[in-house]
Amino acid sequence: MTVNIRQMATLCVALSICALLVVPGNFPGLSGDARITLAIFALATCAWIGTPIDDTYIALGAGLALTATGVISSDALFGTLGDDTVWLLICAFVLAAAVARTGLAGRAAAFLVGGARNVRQLTHLTTAALVVTAFAVPATSGRAALAMPVFLALAKVLADRTRLVVMLALLFPTVILLSAVATLIGAGAHLITVSVLWEAAGERVGFTDWLLVGLPLAVVSSHLAAEVVLFTTTKRADRKGPVHITAEQIQEHSEQPVTGPWSAAESRCALLLATVVALWCSEPLHRVPPAVVALIGAIVAASPALGTVRLKDALKTVPWSLLLFMAATMAMGLALSDSGAAKYLVGGIPLDLPPWLFLAVVIGVSTAAHLVLQSRSARSSVLVPLVVAAAVGAGVNPVAAALASTAAAGFCHTLPASAKPVTLYAEIPGIPTYTPRDLLRMSAVLAPMTALLVLLFTVAVWPLLGVPLT
């Protein structure tokens, strides 16, 4: 009944907006293309919020409607699938499949976690390991799935300390979501943000540019979040006592070896991954686009002689639905920008605010947006075009505003359904895990802390790294 009421309410809102847009006398100065774009945008957003229809289906329908009405051309719609960021993500998933096939993740986890001697060390070593996975596996859901065997092994070893298991169950998705901002391939929303910045503001943000501003924020926010998780889910007595996890204990729950000499496949894969990441990070020196580097890496990873995975098996791991969603929402962002709809929407908003206050509003809205739009990519496709347009009008650097909005939108921990990693670790058969009450308790502290941290980085740290405030 509640779902039906919500669907009816969102439908009424969408139809009301469309009805207002149809009347020529309303909204003077709004062009025909802009009216159509806003109507389609409103319908798509309300469908994302209030219906169980697949997000990708809605996005494709919106893209098709924009093309059929002539707001954007078919070349613009289909051209988004050929965007270099889409190819970057495809090739990154092929590389991730090669890494997963070799078992390097389990070996790295055993090396890091095995050094823990108390609960706090275990917490922060696990956090460090999860942050590093942002360079090896694109998308938060993929990282959550890759880390699951490591969590299960730790849960079995600590089975007699239930609250620590619950803490780790909450730590894994929390760090995975917050550390995604470290790299351009950390989430599909990042690629949408980069595309909008290029199309709407003419600003190109490369892999190295994102890494420079995102990695420090990811490291700081992840370790602060680890402390929040530790203190909101455990008691002093839980944190006392030594912790000693051996590689042999982790090996009992891993199919691939986590100790002993490296196999030839592991060595090749580790060398390939290190080379690809090094080339990504040194893009300003050699000028080879990240997508081309990723394609070379994917070809080598799937090659018969040097590879560790067959190409057809690796391509099965690519989330094609996410790629189609990204392409369609890129087209929607292009329509908002080119039609003048985004500029019109923010035209009535008072923008004579100090830059820090403008960014504080952007970050606050972006942090809370997950309560309405569960899809991280959908949040960016809705918010970033408006944020970029508003930033230009407010005299704020659109790159700083877009990055701040995207980073703040990475907080989505309030409810079990707020993000796929949170849902994945919420119910694990045979393992004690967190409850909605645990999530709310943690979010009450983590949400304002994350928002303030993003604001601090945007105002004080990023200008030192080449992203000025104005």
Side-chain angles (χ1 to χ4, degrees):
M1 184 65 179
T2 304
V3 175
N4 291 334
I5 293 175
R6 184 179 181 182
Q7 291 178 3
M8 290 298 296
T10 52
L11 179 62
C12 288
V13 169
L15 292 178
S16 298
I17 294 173
C18 293
L20 290 172
L21 289 168
V22 167
V23 179
N26 291 335
F27 313 110
L30 195 62
S31 67
D33 282 353
R35 289 175 185 271
I36 295 172
T37 300
L38 288 178
I40 294 172
F41 195 76
L43 287 170
T45 303
C46 289
W48 281 329
I49 294 172
T51 71
I53 302 173
D54 184 76
D55 290 344
T56 302
Y57 186 86
I58 295 169
L60 288 174
L64 177 61
L66 289 168
T67 303
T69 53
V71 177
I72 60 174
S73 65
S74 59
D75 289 342
L77 175 64
F78 297 127
T80 55
L81 277 173
D83 191 272
D84 57 352
T85 55
V86 173
W87 278 93
L88 172 64
L89 198 59
I90 292 173
C91 297
F93 269 100
V94 173
L95 285 167
V99 172
R101 180 66 62 91
T102 61
L104 280 174
R107 189 180 288 274
F111 173 76
L112 286 171
V113 176
R117 293 297 175 263
N118 56 56
V119 173
R120 177 164 277 103
Q121 284 183 359
L122 174 64
T123 301
H124 285 282
L125 286 172
T126 301
T127 298
L130 291 172
V131 171
V132 171
T133 62
F135 293 91
V137 182
T140 54
S141 56
R143 293 169 62 205
L146 180 71
M148 179 62 76
V150 178
F151 166 71
L152 293 176
L154 294 176
K156 296 295 183 182
V157 174
L158 299 171
D160 58 333
R161 303 172 73 175
T162 303
R163 293 306 304 175
L164 290 187
V165 176
V166 173
M167 183 274 292
L168 288 172
L170 189 52
L171 178 70
F172 272 68
T174 298
V175 174
I176 286 170
L177 289 167
L178 291 180
S179 63
V181 73
T183 72
L184 181 59
I185 62 172
H190 301 171
L191 305 181
I192 293 173
T193 298
V194 168
S195 174
V196 171
L197 278 171
W198 173 246
E199 297 291 348
E203 298 282 355
R204 185 173 292 280
V205 178
F207 187 93
T208 308
D209 302 320
W210 192 290
L211 182 69
L212 187 63
V213 298
L215 182 57
L217 175 59
V219 172
V220 174
S221 62
S222 295
H223 284 280
L224 286 178
E227 286 293 326
V228 172
V229 172
L230 187 61
F231 278 97
T232 57
T233 58
T234 62
K235 299 178 180 179
R236 186 185 297 271
D238 299 319
R239 297 190 290 271
K240 287 184 176 180
V243 171
H244 184 61
I245 300 173
T246 65
E248 289 72 21
Q249 289 173 315
I250 295 180
Q251 182 66 76
E252 293 176 5
H253 308 282
S254 176
E255 295 180 0
Q256 288 99 357
V258 298
T259 59
W262 285 33
S263 67
E266 287 177 316
S267 299
R268 291 198 306 270
C269 190
L271 178 61
L272 174 62
L273 182 62
T275 302
V276 168
V277 173
L279 289 173
W280 279 339
C281 296
S282 58
E283 178 193 355
L285 298 177
H286 54 70
R287 299 296 181 182
V288 179
V292 175
V293 172
L295 181 57
I296 295 171
I299 293 297
V300 174
S303 65
L306 301 174
T308 59
V309 64
R310 293 189 302 175
L311 183 59
K312 67 176 183 180
D313 293 332
L315 290 176
K316 291 178 182 178
T317 67
V318 178
W320 298 105
S321 178
L322 171 63
L323 295 177
L324 289 173
F325 178 86
M326 284 173 46
T329 51
M330 285 177 186
M332 292 174 64
L334 180 64
L336 277 172
S337 174
D338 289 354
S339 68
K343 186 176 181 180
Y344 186 90
L345 280 179
V346 302
I349 302 175
L351 297 176
D352 52 342
L353 302 173
W356 70 267
L357 183 56
F358 171 83
L359 288 167
V361 173
V362 167
I363 291 169
V365 171
S366 301
T367 302
H370 72 282
L371 298 173
V372 180
L373 278 170
Q374 293 179 350
S375 168
R376 191 171 187 168
S377 297
R379 291 198 296 276
S380 287
S381 66
V382 171
L383 291 174
V384 174
L386 303 181
V387 167
V388 170
V392 173
V396 175
N397 181 6
V399 175
L403 291 177
S405 174
T406 306
F411 175 83
C412 38
H413 304 68
T414 307
L415 301 170
S418 294
K420 291 178 182 177
V422 180
T423 304
L424 181 63
Y425 283 81
E427 294 183 8
I428 303 174
I431 302 293
T433 185
Y434 48 86
T435 64
R437 185 182 181 88
D438 292 322
L439 281 174
L440 290 174
R441 187 189 305 114
M442 181 199 69
S443 296
V445 179
L446 190 58
M449 186 199 78
T450 302
L452 289 173
L453 187 63
V454 173
L455 180 61
L456 174 64
F457 265 75
T458 308
V459 173
V461 179
W462 288 351
L464 302 177
L465 301 175
V467 184
L469 195 60
T470 58

